[in-house]
Amino acid sequence: MFEPRIKIERPLYETLKRAAQIAGYSSVDEFIIHVLEKTAAEVEQAQSENEVRKRLQGLGYIE
Amino acid sequence: MITVVSGLPRSGTSLVMQMLAAGGYPILCDDRRPADDDNPRGYLEYARVKSLEHDASWLDQAEGKAVKIISPLLASLPAHHDYRIIFLQRDLGEVLRSQAIMLQRRGQPPGPSAEVMQAHFERHLQTVESWLSRQSHIRTLNCQFTDLMRGPLNMAAMIAQFLEGELNLTEMAAAVEPTLHRQRKRSE
């Protein structure tokens, strides 16, 4: 079974490779996966907070 | 020490406030939100809680009393007070069904689907749990709504022990009205 793959421009790849080395990751793949997971979690968290907030306003619990 | 009754809206926070009041525990509330079909026995809320994110000056009035503060506002509690939090936990399906009815009664849009909203609440509750575990000035008693409905006297005793106060357990238990548990989990 093939895993999904994404394409990125070579200059960005080189930047990420350097950043991965600086941050002590064993590979650029590991670094990118970590960054993507962290970013996705932050986006989901922000969306959840926003939706919870809207729900509370609808129910009359916050201003 | 401030006692906080917390949890998601429609998780049983008003019920625990009613129990505390019946048991003789001082509570901080006003009459700004009267009883209605969603809470026939009243909300026992304090209106200034709604603005806790911007104004916590009123918390001095809550010293030695119990006040209802829903879970998304807990992180706004200033750290210069000590708190005991009774945190209500209820099946999210029940919470969401009850909220949906309340939103409809209030003429509010229904918002995301129950499935999506459940994921948001699960994420929120994990965040709150993690935050609470890091607060040295807060002690927490987790209170399962189903345990409360099935054994109100036991729960009253547990709450009284947590609050280290002499409360009227019989009156506290009598405040629990099983017929008001209207959004039961499908399997019950």
Side-chain angles (χ1 to χ4, degrees), chain B residues 85-133:
Chain B
I85 296 183
I86 301 170
F87 198 94
L88 271 296
Q89 297 172 326
R90 184 179 181 185
D91 175 80
L92 281 177
E94 293 185 359
V95 168
L96 287 164
R97 284 196 293 279
S98 185
Q99 287 184 356
I101 292 167
M102 192 173 174
L103 282 172
Q104 194 173 20
R105 282 196 181 121
R106 291 173 58 84
Q108 296 291 319
S113 69
E115 188 181 26
V116 169
M117 206 60 219
Q118 178 158 339
H120 291 319
F121 278 141
E122 284 171 354
R123 200 170 286 122
H124 162 72
L125 290 173
Q126 284 171 5
T127 304
V128 172
E129 186 181 356
S130 170
W131 181 82
L132 283 172
S133 70

Side-chain angles (χ1 to χ4, degrees), chain A residues 5 7 9 11:
Chain A
R5 291 173 184 274
K7 284 184 179 176
E9 300 288 332

Side-chain angles (χ1 to χ4, degrees), chain A residues 44-45 47-48 51-53 55-63, chain B residues 9 33 45 50 53 70 72 99 103 106 108 110 112 120 123 127:
Chain A
E44 286 186 330
Q45 182 69 30
Q47 190 203 16
S48 286
E51 290 297 342
V52 167
R53 188 171 188 85
R55 172 60 59 96
L56 299 185
Q57 285 171 333
L59 293 169
Y61 284 92
I62 55 174
E63 290 175 337
Chain B
R33 196 174 197 179
E45 290 176 356
K50 290 183 185 181
E53 292 163 303
I70 51 164
Q99 287 184 356
L103 282 172
R106 291 173 58 84
Q108 296 291 319
H120 291 319
R123 200 170 286 122
T127 304

Side-chain angles (χ1 to χ4, degrees), chain B residues 103-165:
Chain B
L103 282 172
Q104 194 173 20
R105 282 196 181 121
R106 291 173 58 84
Q108 296 291 319
S113 69
E115 188 181 26
V116 169
M117 206 60 219
Q118 178 158 339
H120 291 319
F121 278 141
E122 284 171 354
R123 200 170 286 122
H124 162 72
L125 290 173
Q126 284 171 5
T127 304
V128 172
E129 186 181 356
S130 170
W131 181 82
L132 283 172
S133 70
R134 299 192 303 273
Q135 309 307 311
S136 58
H137 60 298
I138 296 178
R139 288 171 51 213
T140 305
L141 173 70
N142 288 316
C143 175
Q144 295 289 339
F145 183 77
T146 48
D147 293 343
L148 177 56
M149 297 310 293
R150 287 174 183 157
L153 195 57
N154 285 344
M155 190 57 75
M158 200 182 299
I159 290 171
Q161 187 178 21
F162 178 65
L163 299 181
E164 301 171 272

Side-chain angles (χ1 to χ4, degrees), chain B:
Chain B
M1 182 73 76
I2 297 172
T3 296
V4 175
V5 177
S6 189
L8 291 173
R10 314 306 293 164
S11 62
T13 50
S14 298
L15 175 57
V16 171
M17 288 295 285
Q18 289 153 13
M19 288 177 74
L20 291 174
Y25 199 83
I27 59 171
L28 178 64
C29 68
D30 55 34
D31 56 2
R32 298 275 290 275
R33 196 174 197 179
D36 57 19
D37 286 343
D38 293 307
N39 253 342
R41 291 185 170 185
Y43 289 84
L44 298 184
E45 290 176 356
Y46 188 57
R48 293 184 72 183
V49 172
K50 290 183 185 181
S51 57
L52 179 61
E53 292 163 303
H54 319 290
D55 174 21
S57 60
W58 56 269
L59 267 170
D60 288 339
Q61 299 173 55
E63 278 291 344
K65 298 176 185 170
V67 61
K68 183 163 94 174
I69 301 176
I70 51 164
S71 56
L73 294 177
L74 289 178
S76 298
L77 287 172
H80 62 268
H81 290 283
D82 289 322
Y83 305 94
R84 282 182 292 220
I85 296 183
I86 301 170
F87 198 94
L88 271 296
Q89 297 172 326
R90 184 179 181 185
D91 175 80
L92 281 177
E94 293 185 359
V95 168
L96 287 164
R97 284 196 293 279
S98 185
Q99 287 184 356
I101 292 167
M102 192 173 174
L103 282 172
Q104 194 173 20
R105 282 196 181 121
R106 291 173 58 84
Q108 296 291 319
S113 69
E115 188 181 26
V116 169
M117 206 60 219
Q118 178 158 339
H120 291 319
F121 278 141
E122 284 171 354
R123 200 170 286 122
H124 162 72
L125 290 173
Q126 284 171 5
T127 304
V128 172
E129 186 181 356
S130 170
W131 181 82
L132 283 172
S133 70
R134 299 192 303 273
Q135 309 307 311
S136 58
H137 60 298
I138 296 178
R139 288 171 51 213
T140 305
L141 173 70
N142 288 316
C143 175
Q144 295 289 339
F145 183 77
T146 48
D147 293 343
L148 177 56
M149 297 310 293
R150 287 174 183 157
L153 195 57
N154 285 344
M155 190 57 75
M158 200 182 299
I159 290 171
Q161 187 178 21
F162 178 65
L163 299 181
E164 301 171 272
E166 287 189 19
L167 300 176
N168 186 326
L169 303 185
T170 308
E171 289 296 324
M172 286 176 77
V176 179
E177 175 50 68
T179 58
L180 292 178
H181 184 192
R182 293 170 290 193
Q183 305 304 322
R184 289 173 192 272
K185 197 174 177 179
R186 302 282 191 223
S187 58
E188 286 183 32

